[in-house]
Amino acid sequence: GYQVMLDGRPMKTPAQNPVVLPTYPLALAVAAEGEWQVRVLQRAFERASMIACMHHAKSCVNQGWSIIV
């Protein structure tokens, strides 16, 4: 079988067993899907972080505080 790796670590089932698939194309498809999900989540986190930072900066300015970057 083919073990699926993401970021150099083995992908695991909820029971903590390694994901092993019977064919290379199937393993490649699962790995690609996992990598895509990681990238989407990273972008979403970056956007959420920026929105939170902008909200915090706006609150500081509204209270008359100086922002030094």
Side-chain angles (χ1 to χ4, degrees):
Y2 295 87
Q3 187 173 12
V4 179
M5 307 286 283
L6 291 176
D7 291 334
R9 295 175 294 181
M11 181 184 272
K12 296 194 176 187
T13 67
Q16 298 302 311
N17 297 318
V19 173
V20 179
L21 299 168
T23 66
Y24 179 75
L26 182 57
L28 190 60
V30 169
E33 173 71 17
E35 184 66 29
W36 178 81
Q37 287 182 13
V38 167
R39 290 175 192 255
V40 167
L41 290 173
Q42 284 174 341
R43 281 192 294 246
F45 178 74
E46 288 169 2
R47 287 185 188 137
S49 294
M50 179 165 347
I51 290 169
C53 288
M54 294 301 292
H55 178 72
H56 182 67
K58 184 179 176 183
S59 296
C60 291
V61 169
N62 287 342
Q63 293 179 16
W65 296 353
S66 297
I67 299 175
I68 301 171
V69 180

